[in-house]
Amino acid sequence: MSMHPDIEQVLFSEDEIAAIAKRMGAQITEDYRDKNPLIVATLRGAVVFFADLARAIECPLTMDFMRVYSYGAGTKSSGTVTIDTDLRTDIEGRHVIIVEDILDSGLTLSKLLDVLRERKPASLEIAAFLVKDIEGYEPPVHPRYVGGHIPDAFVVGYGLDYAERYRNLPYLGVLKPEVYS
Ligand code: IMP
């Protein structure tokens, strides 16, 4: 597939992403074999990764979805999180894995975990496709499963958007700054 003209650089190709999902799926299979985990996709960014990760997990599981807001149309987290669509599953006593697209400030996830912990799951872990490494910044949450680390740049594709665009790119790339500045 040819590169989209708004993309400056590809950080993870389709093949690399497939290998990441396989590796993380194998780890989760190993850790949750008899636990019937509930895997939760945070809409909308994590959906593409969620679909690949779920198919790489080879033990029984159930799925649910949440939609939380933090960004609006810009490129920085607002720091407040609104739950727009909540789980349909009672998570008390369940082994829950939150599947995230990317951990940037981690504020969205940190707030979400606070809410979910009050519902008394048996365990609560994060599987993040990406962690953004920001110099001098220690994020408030630490995913148990991480696909890859990226530098502090705004990335799109493989579920991630800028103003709702580019989610369908099959690779992960850095957006040209002139597109959003
Ligand atoms: P945080 O609260 O700063 O960790 O932001 C979390 C959410 O912001 C992620 O789940 C993404 O949906 C979005 N986000 C953060 N960084 C990027 C990026 O580089 N590109 C696209 N979306 C991003």
Side-chain angles (χ1 to χ4, degrees):
M1 146 158 317
S2 62
M3 198 161 86
H4 190 287
D6 294 349
I7 300 299
E8 185 169 81
Q9 186 197 351
V10 173
L11 294 182
F12 291 101
S13 68
E14 272 189 86
D15 287 350
E16 287 166 336
I17 291 171
I20 288 170
K22 282 246 146 51
R23 170 176 59 75
M24 291 174 76
Q27 290 171 342
I28 291 171
T29 304
E30 181 79 18
D31 295 348
Y32 288 85
R33 201 171 285 286
D34 302 310
K35 293 183 171 166
N36 186 29
L38 174 72
I39 61 170
V40 175
T42 52
L43 303 177
R44 286 166 279 181
V47 160
V48 178
F49 174 56
F50 182 82
D52 284 342
L53 181 66
R55 286 176 292 177
I57 300 173
E58 295 176 5
C59 65
L61 56 77
T62 56
M63 298 177 179
D64 207 340
F65 302 88
M66 278 187 102
R67 186 166 173 191
V68 299
Y69 282 110
S70 70
Y71 261 55
T75 62
K76 282 276 170 278
S77 193
S78 66
T80 56
V81 176
T82 310
I83 295 181
D84 179 68
T85 305
D86 206 339
L87 298 173
R88 296 292 169 93
T89 314
D90 177 5
I91 64 168
E92 186 170 346
R94 294 290 306 268
H95 293 281
V96 179
I97 305 171
I98 305 297
V99 180
E100 258 291 5
D101 49 5
I102 186 167
L103 205 124
D104 184 358
S105 70
L107 293 172
T108 311
L109 207 47
S110 158
K111 200 78 191 288
L112 179 60
L113 291 183
D114 289 345
V115 172
L116 295 181
R117 262 188 220 107
E118 290 188 1
R119 301 179 189 178
K120 302 183 167 53
S123 66
L124 184 58
E125 300 288 351
I126 304 159
F129 173 53
L130 298 171
V131 171
K132 226 183 248 191
D133 289 328
I134 306 169
E135 214 185 301
Y137 180 75
E138 180 64 28
V141 291
H142 299 276
R144 171 133 175 215
Y145 308 96
V146 175
H149 291 260
I150 60 161
D152 188 9
F154 197 77
V155 293
V156 295
Y158 196 60
L160 290 164
D161 75 305
Y162 170 65
E164 295 307 324
R165 295 180 63 199
Y166 314 106
R167 290 192 197 274
N168 57 326
L169 297 180
Y171 49 83
L172 184 97
V174 179
L175 196 58
K176 289 180 180 165
E178 61 260 35
V179 177
Y180 57 84
S181 56

